[in-house]
Amino acid sequence: MAAKHASFLQYRSFRYLKMALLLSVVSIVAYVMYKPVGGRNGGTLMGYGLGILGTLIMLWLGWFGVRKRKHQRTWGSTQAWLSAHVYLGLALIVVVLLHTSFEFGLNVHTLAFALMMIVIISGMVGTIFYATIPGNLTREAAGDSLDTLVARIDAIDQEAYPMSLNLSDATIRAVVEARTLTQIGGSFRRMFSVQTSRRRSDVLAVVAGEGKGLVGEEAELNQALYALLVKRESIVQQARNVVRYKAILDVWLYVHVPVSVALIGAMAAHILSVFFYW
């Protein structure tokens, strides 16, 4: 996993880190050297310049993210997207802070800055998600899609039920319950509940308990059924983890995307208020 983190952080010999450092250094030097009459503020020539630069960076990052999600499918493109969002997002904080001259108040300008910080921070969280979750999904699914995992579970159910008919009534009920009570997905709370693990333990405990004292073919059949149910529950857990990881990404998008849209609106209000009321 560390290799994946290094790959996008070091993309093209730290292309976006160098770009971000250059932008930050140039912005800081220009800010320090420029000494306007009346003091520094967002309404000076330097303030406007930094504001325009920050707006362009913000729009580019947003466009790059949309382009990546809609059109790009290669890991190389994902590397560029992640690297740009990490480094240029950090540089954006420097540029916008200098643009404001560290002056804040209860107004739309501060609102735009606050929304920008939420977008950047949530973007960093998303970077971690996108760098780690795809690998987790691959390991959990072992190359299989969710539909394939569900099909494998169904195939085991088709095999397990006839086997249970030659054993005790409790074993039959356990096999039936394993099939009818298994749920993959559902509400966010259900996906992160420990109740499913308890249910798995109960089913396996019943089959194991019913196998005690059995001899001969019945004992062998019970052992075979138990092994089949263990395999089934392992696949069920894989499928649930796949759904859980995808849900995490969905929840992140439900936060990041609306706030990003709100940021665009606040930025538009900020720009309009500057040009029409100042």
Side-chain angles (χ1 to χ4, degrees), residues 16-84:
Y16 293 106
L17 172 60
K18 295 173 183 177
M19 187 183 299
L21 287 175
L22 178 62
L23 286 171
S24 299
V25 170
V26 170
S27 298
I28 292 172
V29 171
Y31 179 83
V32 172
M33 293 183 64
Y34 184 70
K35 298 179 180 179
V37 178
R40 302 183 181 92
N41 60 72
T44 63
L45 182 62
M46 180 61 64
Y48 282 124
L50 290 171
I52 292 172
L53 176 61
T55 301
L56 291 175
I57 294 174
M58 197 179 303
L59 292 175
W60 185 79
L61 288 175
W63 171 81
F64 198 10
V66 171
R67 179 175 177 269
K68 178 264 172 187
R69 290 188 181 91
K70 287 188 175 181
H71 303 293
Q72 300 301 321
R73 293 293 182 268
T74 63
W75 174 241
S77 297
T78 303
Q79 284 181 316
W81 175 67
L82 290 172
S83 187

Side-chain angles (χ1 to χ4, degrees), residues 119-263:
V119 170
I120 291 174
I121 293 172
S122 66
M124 292 177 181
V125 173
T127 294
I128 297 173
F129 287 164
Y130 275 94
T132 57
I133 288 181
N136 291 334
L137 284 173
T138 300
R139 285 194 299 274
E140 289 294 343
D144 294 328
S145 67
L146 180 60
D147 289 341
T148 301
L149 292 174
V150 172
R152 290 174 60 190
I153 295 169
D154 185 64
I156 291 177
D157 287 335
Q158 297 292 338
E159 182 180 356
Y161 181 69
M163 292 173 62
S164 69
L165 295 178
N166 297 311
L167 296 169
S168 67
D169 291 341
T171 299
I172 296 174
R173 285 194 299 270
V175 170
V176 172
E177 288 180 1
R179 181 173 187 174
T180 58
L181 298 181
T182 295
Q183 183 172 353
I184 298 172
S187 66
F188 193 78
R189 179 180 179 182
R190 180 182 293 277
M191 284 187 286
F192 288 87
S193 173
V194 299
Q195 186 63 37
T196 54
S197 297
R198 293 174 182 168
R199 187 173 295 157
R200 171 197 179 204
S201 300
D202 291 344
V203 171
L204 294 179
V206 169
V207 177
E210 290 296 310
K212 295 179 180 179
L214 295 179
V215 295
E217 293 183 358
E218 282 192 335
E220 294 178 0
L221 183 61
N222 183 274
Q223 291 175 0
L225 177 61
Y226 183 83
L228 194 61
L229 291 177
V230 169
K231 179 181 178 181
R232 178 190 188 278
E233 292 303 329
S234 176
I235 300 173
V236 168
Q237 190 59 47
Q238 289 176 4
R240 284 176 177 153
N241 287 339
V242 168
V243 173
R244 184 179 297 118
Y245 291 135
K246 289 181 177 178
I248 292 173
L249 291 178
D250 288 341
V251 169
W252 173 76
L253 286 173
Y254 291 149
V255 174
H256 188 71
V257 173
V259 177
S260 298
V261 173
L263 172 59

Side-chain angles (χ1 to χ4, degrees), residues 70-106:
K70 287 188 175 181
H71 303 293
Q72 300 301 321
R73 293 293 182 268
T74 63
W75 174 241
S77 297
T78 303
Q79 284 181 316
W81 175 67
L82 290 172
S83 187
H85 276 68
V86 169
Y87 294 126
L88 295 183
L90 292 174
L92 184 61
I93 298 176
V94 176
V95 172
V96 174
L97 276 175
L98 296 178
H99 162 67
T100 64
S101 295
F102 305 93
E103 295 180 355
F104 300 97
L106 297 177

